[in-house]
Amino acid sequence: MPTNIELIETIVRETKPERIFVHFDAAEGNQIPAIPDRVAFAELYSLIKKFQPFPIEKYTPRLMQKFGWNKDQIDFMSKVFFDLEFAKMDSGQIIINEVVEKRNLDESLVYQQKVEEITTRKKLLYSNYTELHSWMKSMMETSIYPNAEELENGN
């Protein structure tokens, strides 16, 4: 399953295919993963801060049971904390960084990539035939004639 739309568009533009056959197989199924909300991030941050150094792997099963999170969500939230420099990993334990400036979650590259991945999955897995066909056709036409100047010059 491609992780972003731009990757597909780039491949089509660069290869200029005559036809596209689509078969998407999502190893984890066709479900769209949920991004934890702000409250979930705050709860995990608070627990880590209270019990640091926090051995995340040791407590993952308890976190899953208590909050209903899955392992992927816990790993994702941890990676966002690391990316935003809210916390660091030291010998398998998470430690909150002392000086932390307030930052929005969506400033994290990890967070942005997950949003893009989910947007891509939604488009590819849940678009109806007409929407998907129209988008693919548009990409193919753009790859053949990327700009009006080439079209006018016959290139």
Side-chain angles (χ1 to χ4, degrees), residues 79-87 97 100-101 103-109:
K79 288 176 184 174
V80 170
F81 292 155
F82 303 146
D83 190 35
L84 293 173
E85 299 180 354
F86 291 166
N97 288 329
V100 177
E101 70 177 68
R103 297 177 69 187
N104 290 325
L105 295 173
D106 59 8
E107 291 180 51
S108 163
L109 183 58

Side-chain angles (χ1 to χ4, degrees), residues 21 48 51 89 97 100 102 109 121 136 152:
F21 295 91
I48 293 169
F51 297 107
M89 183 69 84
N97 288 329
V100 177
K102 284 198 167 202
L109 183 58
R121 289 177 70 89
M136 294 271 180
E152 289 172 11

